[in-house]
Amino acid sequence: MRNKSNLLVTLLISVVFTLGSCKKEKSALLADHLLEIKEKKQLEAKATTTLVNSTVNSDNKVLENKVTTKSFYKNEDNYVIDYRYPVLDTKQNPSYKVFNDFITDQYLDYKLSVKDIINKQKLSCQIGYDNTERFKRLVDYKVYANNPKVLSVLLYKANHYTKENQYSYLFKTLNFDPIKGAFISFESMFRPGAEKEVFKLVSKALKEKIENDDNYQQCQELKYDTFLTYKDNFVIDKNTIKFYFDDCVICPVYSGNYFVEISRSSTLDILNTDF
């Protein structure tokens, strides 16, 4: 009888210990899970901050508290529109409205985007798509800060279809004077008649890429007429000037090459003194 009692006590102690261990184990698992969630949120927040900060040169304070990111998202049965775009703070300078209006009214133009999608409008050289495909149009941007007189923004639209592995890109650049509140064109950036000189520099840089970089082997040399079409499609930073071209203009889609870069030092003789 005593043995049975001892056995019962042992079993009860074992059960209590096991339940306690389970509770502790569950508590530990819950704590780990909550920690994972917390760490994940911290990483996401850090990644978002890094992404935002990476769009602005850290060595230049001209854009600090001026550029913010806005977004627009619409998910329909056969298409998705996902826009992320820059906005300037008009409270700091009312003339920034010129920049913001261009972005929202002319570049984004939501109604036109939907119309393009419905009409199966293609971007650049990409193939069309059929009604069974789910279409996605993205808009994103990158900001280049050069000096207080120039704000360079690269805008890009990307189309993606469910049956395609690649995105197709169209590029638009904006060079803006934050002080005057006015856009900067090729003619205002460079001295009069500089087109041929800049073309030679860009053409030479592309030719060197084609000859020395395997990723550019399928690209073709730049024609002067093509350059004139895209001459305003450039961004500048501290050391370089990048001229952007749409898909298939100089390189095939799959190459992933969209710009030709030249050094600012090579343009000193033809660059306006204001820049």
Side-chain angles (χ1 to χ4, degrees):
M1 186 69 179
R2 181 175 296 178
N3 290 336
K4 289 183 179 179
S5 298
N6 291 337
L7 179 60
L8 181 60
V9 170
T10 301
L11 287 174
L12 287 173
I13 293 174
S14 177
V15 169
V16 170
F17 178 79
T18 301
L19 289 175
S21 298
C22 287
K23 287 182 179 179
K24 289 180 180 179
E25 186 176 347
K26 288 181 180 179
S27 298
L29 290 174
L30 179 60
D32 289 342
H33 181 61
L34 292 175
L35 181 61
E36 288 177 1
I37 293 176
K38 182 179 179 180
E39 289 176 345
K40 183 179 179 182
K41 288 182 178 180
Q42 289 175 341
L43 287 173
E44 289 175 348
K46 183 178 180 180
T48 302
T49 303
T50 302
L51 177 62
V52 172
N53 290 340
S54 68
T55 64
V56 181
N57 266 350
S58 58
D59 61 345
N60 196 301
K61 300 298 183 182
V62 65
L63 298 177
E64 190 174 15
N65 300 322
K66 286 186 175 67
V67 179
T68 58
T69 299
K70 286 194 174 183
S71 59
F72 175 83
Y73 184 83
K74 189 174 182 63
N75 192 336
E76 295 292 344
D77 291 338
N78 62 336
Y79 70 85
V80 175
I81 292 180
D82 190 357
Y83 288 170
R84 179 179 176 274
Y85 57 96
V87 174
L88 299 183
D89 185 3
T90 55
K91 292 181 180 178
Q92 298 187 38
N93 189 337
S95 62
Y96 290 167
K97 186 176 185 297
V98 175
F99 181 92
N100 295 341
D101 286 348
F102 179 88
I103 295 287
T104 56
D105 298 341
Q106 296 186 48
Y107 182 73
L108 295 181
D109 197 347
Y110 164 72
K111 291 182 179 180
L112 181 60
S113 294
V114 174
K115 184 178 179 181
D116 288 346
I117 294 170
I118 294 174
N119 293 332
K120 301 181 178 63
Q121 183 68 33
K122 297 189 293 183
L123 284 186
S124 191
C125 62
Q126 69 183 22
I127 61 173
Y129 67 102
D130 58 50
N131 292 328
T132 64
E133 292 188 270
R134 184 168 173 77
F135 175 95
K136 189 172 186 179
R137 171 165 287 180
L138 304 176
V139 166
D140 211 330
Y141 76 98
K142 183 175 182 179
V143 172
Y144 295 80
N146 178 55
N147 60 55
K149 293 183 179 180
V150 182
L151 166 64
S152 280
V153 179
L154 171 66
L155 300 164
Y156 52 95
K157 290 180 181 178
N159 276 4
H160 182 262
Y161 309 112
T162 53
K163 295 183 181 179
E164 297 294 322
N165 294 324
Q166 297 158 336
Y167 282 84
S168 181
Y169 290 93
L170 286 180
F171 299 96
K172 173 65 179 175
T173 66
L174 299 177
N175 294 290
F176 189 73
D177 187 330
I179 298 175
K180 296 180 180 178
F183 288 107
I184 302 168
S185 65
F186 181 95
E187 283 76 13
S188 56
M189 178 68 68
F190 297 95
R191 293 177 181 176
E195 285 87 352
K196 289 188 177 180
E197 291 298 320
V198 177
F199 166 71
K200 289 179 182 179
L201 293 171
V202 175
S203 183
K204 180 183 177 182
L206 176 58
K207 188 175 181 180
E208 290 176 352
K209 283 286 188 181
I210 294 173
E211 293 175 350
N212 302 312
D213 191 332
D214 292 341
N215 293 324
Y216 283 79
Q217 284 188 353
Q218 300 300 319
C219 301
Q220 56 187 350
E221 293 186 14
L222 183 64
K223 296 180 180 179
Y224 185 58
D225 290 344
T226 303
F227 172 75
L228 291 180
T229 301
Y230 287 88
K231 70 176 185 178
D232 281 303
N233 231 32
F234 66 91
V235 292
I236 64 175
D237 58 24
K238 187 175 182 179
N239 300 310
T240 63
I241 304 176
K242 297 180 176 70
F243 286 85
Y244 276 82
F245 302 87
D246 296 336
D247 276 340
C248 301
V249 173
I250 56 173
C251 299
V253 176
Y254 56 80
S255 73
N257 298 307
Y258 308 107
F259 68 84
V260 181
E261 180 180 82
I262 61 176
S263 65
R264 291 195 65 190
S265 60
S266 67
T267 66
L268 292 179
D269 292 339
I270 52 178
L271 198 66
N272 279 333
T273 55
D274 290 342
F275 307 110

